[in-house]
Amino acid sequence: MILKSMPNQPQRLDQTFQALADPARRAMVERLSRGPASVSELARPLSMSLPAAMQHLAMLEDADLVRSKKTGRVRTCRINPAALSRAEQWINQRRAEWEHRLDRLGRYLEMLNNDGGENGADE
Amino acid sequence: MILKSMPNQPQRLDQTFQALADPARRAMVERLSRGPASVSELARPLSMSLPAAMQHLAMLEDADLVRSKKTGRVRTCRINPAALSRAEQWINQRRAEWEHRLDRLGRYLEMLNNDGGENGADE
């Protein structure tokens, strides 16, 4: 039960990226980044029925990208920045790795150059 | 045909996020961020058969996250940083939006405070 309510990091990332792999769900996240909205406010610009919108919302909530709260008859949705940050962080770490590698490659080529060596590498 | 070889931006993002929604494919991207690798080098740490690895690679190549080139009998794979940057950029734009909104909210609350007004907002 704990495992179900608290998925581990890789599962979380699976769900986050999966949730973002759809243009309607990204449009909802875009809208919610600008402020909270009701389900019908989210559905309207997408020309989508309420049940269809709620299905997309369920995926966003499962991925913890969106949280919602019902007050009276209106369910208000909010973005959860922490979930997007996890995805951002994963990409940032990859960027750090390849930039580090390019730096090393650059230093190596410079060293070869300073030694007066010729190199035929094309990258 | 042009549409097929040059997917538009939303389709691209669909493919990118979809490709990243799997731990094995993320492990491949993590490995390739540290430098080029052959298909078997990618498959080995994942305890995966070559055909299974190639299926995951095909998804990464469709999303343009990875590019590969066959030389003799060895296919060498490389990361395409531009594709990851597109995903990163989309998330960054969302962050910019919600931070802008929080700034505005902060300024509003400060203004209320300076006016000596009480506010009961809980965020």
Side-chain angles (χ1 to χ4, degrees):
Chain A
M1 219 140 97
I2 289 172
L3 270 174
K4 205 179 172 182
S5 60
M6 293 274 287
N8 61 29
Q9 191 75 345
Q11 276 178 327
R12 275 270 192 234
L13 277 175
D14 287 3
Q15 286 182 305
T16 307
F17 286 126
Q18 186 69 62
L20 296 176
D22 180 276
R25 290 194 295 270
R26 283 199 305 278
M28 288 177 168
V29 171
E30 286 170 16
R31 168 63 189 81
L32 294 175
S33 297
R34 297 193 293 273
S38 69
V39 181
S40 48
E41 281 170 334
L42 288 175
R44 206 174 303 136
L46 297 171
S47 314
M48 196 175 263
S49 69
L50 271 186
M54 285 172 82
Q55 232 170 348
H56 283 302
L57 259 181
M59 274 200 75
L60 289 169
E61 289 202 64
D62 281 347
D64 203 26
L65 279 164
V66 169
R67 291 177 178 180
S68 75
K69 200 173 154 184
K70 200 164 184 176
T71 312
R73 288 178 56 204
V74 178
R75 177 169 293 278
T76 303
C77 305
R78 287 164 203 277
I79 193 91
N80 174 23
L84 264 182
S85 291
R86 273 192 295 268
E88 194 180 22
Q89 212 178 338
W90 185 87
I91 298 178
N92 282 342
Q93 282 163 353
R94 305 294 78 72
R95 170 189 290 285
E97 280 166 350
W98 81 64
E99 285 180 349
H100 177 68
R101 182 169 69 89
L102 291 182
D103 282 351
R104 270 187 315 173
L105 193 63
R107 278 197 303 274
Y108 176 69
L109 292 178
E110 204 177 333
M111 196 188 73
L112 286 182
N113 245 350
N114 290 344
D115 286 354
E118 292 278 324
N119 76 80
D122 59 1
E123 60 167 5
Chain B
M1 222 140 95
I2 289 172
L3 270 175
K4 203 176 173 189
S5 60
M6 293 274 287
N8 61 29
Q9 190 76 344
Q11 276 178 328
R12 275 268 192 235
L13 277 176
D14 287 4
Q15 287 182 305
T16 307
F17 286 127
Q18 186 68 62
L20 296 177
D22 179 276
R25 291 194 294 271
R26 283 200 306 279
M28 288 176 167
V29 171
E30 286 170 16
R31 168 65 188 80
L32 294 174
S33 297
R34 296 193 294 271
S38 68
V39 181
S40 48
E41 281 170 335
L42 288 175
R44 206 174 305 136
L46 297 170
S47 315
M48 197 176 261
S49 68
L50 271 185
M54 286 172 81
Q55 232 172 345
H56 283 303
L57 259 180
M59 276 201 73
L60 290 169
E61 290 203 64
D62 282 348
D64 202 24
L65 280 164
V66 169
R67 290 176 179 180
S68 75
K69 200 173 154 186
K70 200 165 181 173
T71 312
R73 290 176 57 204
V74 178
R75 178 169 293 279
T76 303
C77 306
R78 286 163 203 280
I79 193 91
N80 174 24
L84 263 181
S85 291
R86 274 193 294 270
E88 192 180 22
Q89 211 178 339
W90 185 86
I91 298 179
N92 282 343
Q93 282 164 354
R94 304 296 75 74
R95 169 190 291 285
E97 282 166 349
W98 80 64
E99 284 180 349
H100 176 70
R101 182 170 68 89
L102 290 183
D103 282 351
R104 270 186 316 174
L105 193 65
R107 280 197 300 275
Y108 176 70
L109 292 178
E110 202 177 337
M111 196 188 73
L112 285 183
N113 245 350
N114 290 344
D115 286 354
E118 291 280 325
N119 79 79
D122 59 1
E123 59 166 10

